[in-house]
Amino acid sequence: MSALSIIIDTDPGQDDAIALLLAAASPELELLGVTTVAGNVPLALTTLNACKVMELAGRRDVPICAGADRPLDVPLVTAEHVHGDTGLNGVQLPEPTLAVDPRHAVDFIIQTLREREAGTVTLCPLGPLTNIALALRQAPDIAPRIRRIVLMGGGFFEGGNVTPAAEFNFYVDPRAAHEVFTSGVPITMAPLDVTHEALTTAARIEAIRAIGNRVGPVVAAWMEFFERYDEEKYGQDGGPLHDPCVIAWLLRPALFSGRDCNVRIETASELTRGMSVVDWWAVTGLPANAQVLRHVDSDGFFALLTERLSRLG
Ligand code: BDR
Ligand code: CA
C-alpha cells in the first residue's frame, strides 16, 4: 500500500514536537512538509522549534515553511505558562542547521494541493487554524482537493482548557476554526475529550526514556515539563498528550471511537469565544461536518508511540 501524503501544520510545543517525531518515524506516512503558525509561542519560535525537532528526527528532507504570525482578526494569545518561554522547555536541543524553506506556509499548502493528485493530501493541523483558513480563502479551488483535515482542537464533554468553554487552538483563532468547519472539507477532530484520556503517566514516560536511543530521554523530558502544569491542573497522574492523537489516528484509527456530528465554532461571544458546539445527540437536524473522536485506547496509543520512537536515532 502506498504511503498517505500529509502536511503537518503546527505550533511546537512539546506535544506538537512528539507528533512530528511520530509522523517522521512512520513509513505509512509521506510527510510532504511542515508548516508553522503562531500559537503556543510566537511564529519565530514555533518555526525554530520545528527545525530543531525535524533535525532531531534526522529528517532534513522535509520542507519547513513559516506561516501566519497572528490570528485572522484577534490579537495573538500564547501559552508560555504551559510550554515554557521557548515553547520546548524541558530539554535544550542544539541550534538547527536546517534552513527554513523560503515559501510562505499558505503558498506551500496551496501549491502542494494543486500539484498533487486531487484527494490524496491530508492536512494535519496541530495549532490554531490560521494557515488552513488563509489557504482556503486565497484558493477556494483547493477545498475539494483535500483528502481530509485531521486536527487537534475543541472540546465538548470536557469543556475548555483555556477558558471554561474553549480549547486553546480554537480560542486563539476562532474565525479560522469557523471557516475550516464550514469549508465542506471532511474533518476528523481530536478534541480534549479524547486527548484527556492520553495521559503521560510516570510508567509511560519511563518506558519512553528507556528506549535506549537519543530521542527517548528528550521526549521523556518534554513530557515531564509539559505534564507538570497539567498534572497540577487536573489532579491526575500525567498530563494529556494532545497533538500525537492526530498522527495516531492516521496510523491506527481502530484505537479511537467517535461519531459524525455537526460542529459549530463560537466567534462572537466574549464569554464562549472559540467554543466548539458539538451536536453529539443530533438535536439540531444540521448535517454532520466532522468525525468527532471521543475515546482512545490509551495503552494501545502509548505502545504505538513508544515503538515508533524506538525507530528513530
Ligand atoms: C492544544 O494547545 C496547545 O497547547 C497544544 O499544543 C495542543 O495543540 C491543546 O489545547
Ligand atoms: Ca499544538
Side-chain angles (χ1 to χ4, degrees), residues 18-19 24 26 76 82 90 102 106 110 133-134 154-155 168 183 188 190 223 230 260:
I18 297 166
S26 295
L76 177 64
V82 181
V106 172
I110 294 170
L134 285 171
F168 179 78
S183 67
T188 296
M223 285 179 173
D230 282 327
D260 293 342

Side-chain angles (χ1 to χ4, degrees), residues 41-42 59 65 83 90 107-108 146 150 154 168 171 199 203 205 207 212 223 230 240 275 302:
V41 284
R59 291 295 304 270
C65 303
H83 300 273
D107 295 333
F108 174 82
I146 302 170
V150 185
F168 179 78
Y171 178 81
L199 296 177
I205 294 177
M223 285 179 173
D230 282 327
M275 181 178 181
F302 276 92

